[in-house]
């Protein structure tokens, strides 16, 4: 009898470990272990956005770039070390990825309240969501329970993150590789309704291309010279660059997309009708954006016994 009981206990423990290892993300993951988490993130983000509205776009981009490289695991937050060259200095991120200090600040506050409980990956997911909401966009319930990766890959970042010069077929292929549909591609690109882009990434478009509004090209040329000035910024949305709305799609219809990867969504192609729909119906855009962000946030998370909970988002334990 005693042997039977021991066997049952052992099997129960194995079963629990298996469930933990294969755990799925859930909405109330920290409901008991860190009930103050979302309040801490929200209050910090309120102050951040008040001081610099652009940071909402930067954190959203940071989250996207994290998820597109081996899943939403906080790998983009890691500094280089002797074991790997990380993602911060990859082509899509060097001198342009921003918001690391904000995540550090939130992490420090969370650690003070709930030591060793919350992953940096989850903090980034929440901060990106709150940045969108505080700029006028939708709010969604973020599935939580991610753990942090113990490594990062500059090569993967260089190869897996879409370029501002990507054509539509390339974008479709790269999103499809992540399990994201063409609809996901078009609605997630709507994140460009906030934020700014560097001259080096739209110079060719404004000086050499035809599918662009002439007045828009002339305006952009005033601050983006034909050579030099690579890091000079221009708004991705000409109408309301610090408000999360559907004006990005109105720009595309007017041939005022800043990047090639924007304008290809409305260029007598497969996505034209969806762009038109979003341009006239912000509720549809918000609903579809929310669904796509949840889907994006669930890309290959580390859960259960995988990964770790970093003490410092820049370093592995």
């Amino acid at each position: 009898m005693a042997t039977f009981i021991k066997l049952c206990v052992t099997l129960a423990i194995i079963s629990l470990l298996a469930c933990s290892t294969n755990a799925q993300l859930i909405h109330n993951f920290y409901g008991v272990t860190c009930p103050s988490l979302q309040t801490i993130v929200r209050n910090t983000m309120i102050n951040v956005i008040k001081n610099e509205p652009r940071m909402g776009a930067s954190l959203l981009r940071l989250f996207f770039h994290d998820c597109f490289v081996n899943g939403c695991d906080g790998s983009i937050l890691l500094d280089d070390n002797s074991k790997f060259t990380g993602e911060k200095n990859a082509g899509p991120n060097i001198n342009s990825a921003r918001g690391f200090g904000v995540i550090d600040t939130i992490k420090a506050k969370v650690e003070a309240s709930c030591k060793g409980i919350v992953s940096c990956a989850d903090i980034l997911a929440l901060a990106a969501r709150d940045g969108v909401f505080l700029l006028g966009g939708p709010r969604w319930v973020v599935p939580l329970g991610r753990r942090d990766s113990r490594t990062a890959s500059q090569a993967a970042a260089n190869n897996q993150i879409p370029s501002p010069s990507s054509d539509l077929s390339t974008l479709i292929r790269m999103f499809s590789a992540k399990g994201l549909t063409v609809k996901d591609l078009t609605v997630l690109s709507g994140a460009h309704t906030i934020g700014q882009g560097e001259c080096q990434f739209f110079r060719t478009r404004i000086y050499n291309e035809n599918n662009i509004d002439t007045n828009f090209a002339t305006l952009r040329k005033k601050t983006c010279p034909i050579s030099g000035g690579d890091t000079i910024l221009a708004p991705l949305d000409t109408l309301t660059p610090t408000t999360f709305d559907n004006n990005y799609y109105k720009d595309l219809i007017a041939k005022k997309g800043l990047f090639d990867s924007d304008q290809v969504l409305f260029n007598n192609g497969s996505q034209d009708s969806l762009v038109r729909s979003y341009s006239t119906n912000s509720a549809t855009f918000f609903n579809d954006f929310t669904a796509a962000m949840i889907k994006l946030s669930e890309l290959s998370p580390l859960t259960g016994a995988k990964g770790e909970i970093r003490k410092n988002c820049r370093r592995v334990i």
Side-chain angles (χ1 to χ4, degrees):
M1 183 67 177
T3 301
F4 175 76
I5 292 174
K6 288 181 181 180
L7 177 61
C8 288
V9 171
T10 301
L11 290 173
I13 292 173
I14 292 173
S15 177
L16 286 171
L17 287 174
C19 290
S20 176
T21 300
N22 297 304
Q24 299 299 307
L25 303 180
I26 57 175
H27 298 157
N28 62 341
F29 187 84
Y30 300 107
V32 174
T33 57
C34 191
S36 61
L37 170 62
Q38 303 223 22
T39 299
I40 292 171
V41 176
R42 175 61 59 82
N43 289 342
T44 304
M45 287 301 298
I46 288 172
N47 290 328
V48 166
I49 297 300
K50 181 179 180 180
N51 292 329
E52 186 186 359
R54 182 190 170 202
M55 190 55 72
S58 296
L59 287 168
L60 181 57
R61 180 174 184 262
L62 197 65
F63 178 65
F64 179 89
H65 282 205
D66 181 42
C67 291
F68 247 65
V69 181
N70 301 321
C72 309
D73 59 5
S75 59
I76 196 172
L77 305 174
L78 288 169
D79 290 338
D80 296 350
N81 62 32
S82 59
K83 295 183 178 180
F84 61 79
T85 301
E87 298 161 27
K88 288 183 176 180
N89 291 317
N93 298 323
I94 188 169
N95 298 323
S96 64
R98 306 172 70 245
F100 299 107
V102 174
I103 300 302
D104 290 339
T105 297
I106 297 174
K107 176 63 172 175
K109 292 179 179 179
V110 171
E111 284 293 299
S113 179
C114 321
K115 187 176 179 62
I117 299 295
V118 182
S119 69
C120 299
D122 276 343
I123 288 173
L124 178 55
L126 289 169
R129 187 274 310 275
D130 286 352
V132 168
F133 178 73
L134 292 167
L135 291 175
R139 187 174 188 270
W140 57 94
V141 178
V142 178
L144 298 169
R146 299 167 192 79
R147 289 170 64 85
D148 298 318
S149 68
R150 294 189 175 99
T151 187
S153 173
Q154 186 175 106
N158 282 326
N159 293 325
Q160 297 176 18
I161 298 174
S163 161
S165 62
S166 297
D167 59 23
L168 184 57
S169 61
T170 299
L171 291 171
I172 291 172
R173 174 178 55 78
M174 296 183 80
F175 273 69
S176 177
K178 303 299 177 182
L180 298 170
T181 66
V182 179
K183 181 179 178 180
D184 294 328
L185 157 64
T186 301
V187 72
L188 288 172
S189 295
H192 282 183
T193 190
I194 52 176
Q196 301 184 61
E198 293 183 350
C199 170
Q200 61 179 316
F201 298 124
F202 61 84
R203 177 182 287 115
T204 298
R205 173 159 165 73
I206 63 175
Y207 282 99
N208 300 321
E209 296 178 4
N210 296 320
N211 64 334
I212 186 169
D213 177 80
T214 303
N215 293 330
F216 174 68
T218 299
L219 176 63
R220 293 280 72 89
K221 289 174 184 177
K222 290 181 179 179
T223 55
C224 180
I226 197 166
S227 64
D230 284 357
T231 59
I232 294 173
L233 297 171
L236 291 162
D237 177 334
T238 66
L239 300 169
T240 51
T242 58
T243 300
F244 196 98
D245 54 28
N246 65 336
N247 282 334
Y248 165 81
Y249 298 103
K250 296 176 183 179
D251 274 344
L252 298 187
I253 292 173
K255 295 186 178 181
K256 296 180 180 180
L258 189 64
F259 296 150
D260 287 313
S261 59
D262 295 316
Q263 196 59 56
V264 295
L265 299 175
F266 191 84
N267 192 33
N268 298 316
S270 63
Q271 300 309 290
D272 285 12
S273 61
L274 189 56
V275 169
R276 287 195 183 95
S277 175
Y278 290 151
S279 75
T280 59
N281 193 324
S282 59
T284 298
F285 167 49
F286 278 19
N287 287 338
D288 289 354
F289 185 83
T290 294
M293 281 299 296
I294 293 173
K295 188 175 179 180
L296 173 69
S297 77
E298 294 176 330
L299 290 181
S300 306
L302 299 174
T303 59
K306 298 177 182 177
E308 64 183 20
I309 303 297
R310 292 184 212 138
K311 298 177 182 178
N312 181 325
C313 291
R314 297 172 183 263
R315 299 193 297 270
V316 298
I317 296 176

